[in-house]
Amino acid sequence: MNFLAHLYLSGEDVEIRLGNFIGDYVKGKTIFSYPKTIQKGINLHRAIDFHTDKHSSWKICRELLKESYGRWAGVVTDVMFDYILAKEWENYSNRPLKGFTRTFYFQMLQRYHLLPPRVRGFLPFMIHSNRLYSYRSDSGIIKALNTMSNHTSLQGDPEQALNVVKNNYELLREKLNKLLSDLTIMVEREFQIQPSMRHIATYRSVKG
């Protein structure tokens, strides 16, 4: 999963949220240099990624993007799930997305000294572009993929990927809903974290 989905599953504890946010940038025994609650967030991040990679819903959506992105299809699937989550946010959360993202930015700036160097490097740009909120727009998600291309070996046409998602939107929305439902259960059971949002069952009842 990408940034927004990880934060969605983090609950209200700021240090768990921080740990989940930096999870990809903390390697090996470095985790033990952080306070216990941040360690819990890092482990939460790893568990979310582990369960996502094995989930049939994610695998089905990844196959749709393989022609455009090859071995990077999984990464692009994560980003596109954030696109759908951002667009459907009011069906998942009682908090407006703009307020949720602003609170997150403020919390990370308050704890800037705890962030790994790479995260300290890109956080100001994330805030300046309001990347998490921009995921809900076509231009924002294309910009996010282009940014990834500039900093990795990712190759592919973002507009083509977006067209794939739009042409299969109902399928991807259904699969994201199933994945988030299962991940919510895992997070509650294994980490005792209650996402601070409207229960996903409400989404199911509204959308059928």
Side-chain angles (χ1 to χ4, degrees), residues 67-175:
E67 183 176 349
S68 300
Y69 278 93
R71 69 184 182 89
W72 285 94
V75 175
V76 178
T77 300
D78 291 342
V79 175
M80 289 305 180
F81 272 173
D82 265 9
Y83 168 73
I84 297 171
L85 176 58
K87 292 181 76 68
E88 302 284 331
W89 185 262
E90 65 273 12
N91 292 317
Y92 287 96
S93 175
N94 290 317
R95 291 191 62 191
L97 179 60
K98 184 172 288 186
F100 178 86
T101 57
R102 285 178 175 174
T103 297
F104 166 73
Y105 297 146
F106 179 71
Q107 290 171 340
M108 295 306 102
L109 286 174
Q110 285 184 311
R111 295 158 181 81
Y112 192 76
H113 63 287
L114 292 171
L115 303 176
R118 284 184 62 188
V119 180
R120 291 201 300 267
F122 70 71
L123 181 64
F125 299 98
M126 173 181 276
I127 295 173
H128 179 73
S129 64
N130 199 1
R131 186 187 302 176
L132 297 176
Y133 185 77
S134 76
Y135 283 153
R136 68 188 295 138
S137 69
D138 293 1
S139 59
I141 211 68
I142 287 174
K143 184 175 181 180
L145 289 172
N146 281 329
T147 298
M148 291 176 64
S149 297
N150 293 335
H151 293 90
T152 68
S153 59
L154 182 148
Q155 298 292 323
D157 182 357
E159 293 192 9
Q160 183 178 351
L162 185 59
N163 286 335
V164 170
V165 172
K166 287 187 171 183
N167 291 335
N168 298 275
Y169 189 85
E170 292 303 320
L171 172 64
L172 269 73
R173 183 173 66 173
E174 174 190 337
K175 298 304 180 185

Side-chain angles (χ1 to χ4, degrees), residues 28-73:
K29 294 183 179 180
T30 309
I31 187 174
F32 299 113
S33 65
Y34 290 94
K36 291 291 185 181
T37 313
I38 294 179
Q39 290 183 38
K40 183 176 181 178
I42 295 168
N43 286 323
L44 170 65
H45 182 103
R46 294 172 179 175
I48 290 170
D49 283 352
F50 176 78
H51 286 279
T52 297
D53 290 348
K54 295 176 63 177
H55 201 283
S56 60
S57 292
W58 182 82
K59 291 179 180 179
I60 289 169
C61 296
R62 179 189 60 187
E63 289 301 311
L64 294 174
L65 291 159
K66 265 199 170 179
E67 183 176 349
S68 300
Y69 278 93
R71 69 184 182 89
W72 285 94

Side-chain angles (χ1 to χ4, degrees), residues 10-15 17 95 100 107 193-194 196:
S10 292
E12 285 297 305
D13 189 287
V14 178
E15 290 196 340
R17 184 177 290 173
R95 291 191 62 191
F100 178 86
Q107 290 171 340
I193 293 173
Q194 176 66 54
S196 57

Side-chain angles (χ1 to χ4, degrees), residues 12-25:
E12 285 297 305
D13 189 287
V14 178
E15 290 196 340
I16 291 176
R17 184 177 290 173
L18 186 151
N20 199 346
F21 177 54
I22 67 175
D24 280 334
Y25 305 93

